[in-house]
Amino acid sequence: MINIILIDDHVIFGEGITNLLSLNPKFNFLGYFSKTAGIDEVFENNRIDVVLLDVSVVPINGIDYCKYIKTKFHNPKVLFFTMHFDDLIIGRAMKAGANGFITKNNTKDVLFEGIEQIMNGNIFYSPDVEKILLKQYKHEEMKGLPILSSREKEVLELIILGKTSHEIADKLFISTKTVEFHRSNLLIKFDAKNVVDLTREAIKMGIVKINN
């Protein structure tokens, strides 16, 4: 049997996937976790074959956590399972050592196939991810530039102006949690450790311009 854990910050979704995996006789589901903190003991006491991992988990984002568990433990297979994706995030996830990338728009059959494929030593992408990667190859001139949604760009501009998450939430009429999610995603997309790095990279790439 394949030993699996799930790390995802959306609890209702996590509970649903827990039930789904627990019913599959090929899988030995060892646990669901909503955060990347405090679960080293699970890896130390069990042979984890596959980690289903979201990108936007806290306190360590999924991409950095993938690097961490790949080096600290017995190199478990990591299958990213997320609703947040573009060519840059996919690329950084794979560079971090991921064995596959699936979006939450897919069926359970795609998820199950992905788990089995990476256990067989293959790299697996869901069909919608494959389309994004194909588009990337056709537009090499855009390689390396983060693709931002209109909302991400709005949040980025306000972050650079020194606004707090609460101030940004009030300005854009969204929740503070949504702002924090966009902030985390922006740090991943720009490969930035903090707001200073994020600001520098965004201005250097010409994605955001600061007027005097």
Side-chain angles (χ1 to χ4, degrees):
M1 296 178 71
I2 302 172
N3 293 330
I4 302 174
I5 65 169
L6 169 66
I7 307 174
D8 190 293
D9 64 341
H10 296 91
V11 177
I12 293 177
F13 174 83
E15 291 175 347
I17 295 299
T18 294
N19 293 332
L20 195 64
L21 294 170
S22 297
L23 291 172
N24 191 312
K26 295 180 180 179
F27 306 145
N28 181 28
F29 187 69
L30 296 177
Y32 160 61
F33 306 90
S34 61
K35 296 181 178 180
T36 50
I39 58 176
D40 280 15
E41 187 175 331
V42 178
F43 288 93
E44 292 166 355
N45 295 334
N46 299 276
R47 190 199 79 246
I48 307 298
D49 298 314
V50 174
V51 179
L52 296 178
L53 181 60
D54 194 7
V55 170
S56 59
V57 287
V58 294
I60 307 174
N61 70 66
I63 291 176
D64 286 342
Y65 193 68
C66 177
K67 295 177 186 175
Y68 172 75
I69 61 177
K70 284 281 187 175
T71 55
K72 185 174 178 64
F73 301 109
H74 66 280
N75 195 27
K77 309 284 187 185
V78 175
L79 181 59
F80 274 93
F81 190 32
T82 182
M83 63 181 179
H84 306 289
F85 63 100
D86 59 31
D87 60 340
L88 195 62
I89 287 180
I90 296 167
R92 286 190 173 143
M94 302 311 292
K95 186 177 179 180
N99 302 90
F101 202 106
I102 295 177
T103 72
K104 293 177 180 176
N105 299 323
N106 288 277
T107 65
K108 64 180 177 59
D109 292 334
V110 174
L111 173 61
F112 292 169
E113 181 185 1
I115 293 170
E116 293 185 17
Q117 286 286 341
I118 66 172
M119 279 303 296
N120 289 330
N122 300 316
I123 297 293
F124 184 84
Y125 302 113
S126 57
D128 47 354
V129 171
E130 287 182 344
K131 289 180 181 179
I132 289 175
L133 294 177
L134 181 61
K135 184 177 179 180
Q136 176 193 7
Y137 295 142
K138 290 181 177 179
H139 297 84
E140 280 296 316
E141 67 274 12
M142 294 298 293
K143 189 174 182 181
L145 290 179
I147 298 173
L148 306 182
S149 66
S150 57
R151 179 65 81 195
E152 284 176 331
K153 191 167 184 179
E154 288 175 332
V155 171
L156 176 60
E157 289 171 347
L158 291 170
I159 288 174
I160 290 174
L161 290 174
K163 303 296 183 182
T164 65
S165 292
H166 183 72
E167 289 171 333
I168 295 171
D170 288 345
K171 176 78 172 178
L172 300 180
F173 302 103
I174 57 179
S175 70
T176 303
K177 184 175 181 180
T178 299
V179 174
E180 290 298 331
F181 165 74
H182 287 309
R183 183 189 292 270
S184 175
N185 235 16
L186 287 166
L187 291 173
I188 292 170
K189 288 187 175 186
F190 284 88
D191 197 20
K193 295 180 179 179
N194 50 47
V195 171
V196 174
D197 287 346
L198 178 62
T199 300
R200 184 187 303 115
E201 290 301 313
I203 295 173
K204 184 170 71 174
M205 293 179 182
I207 294 175
V208 172
K209 295 179 172 61
I210 302 298
N211 297 321
N212 295 324

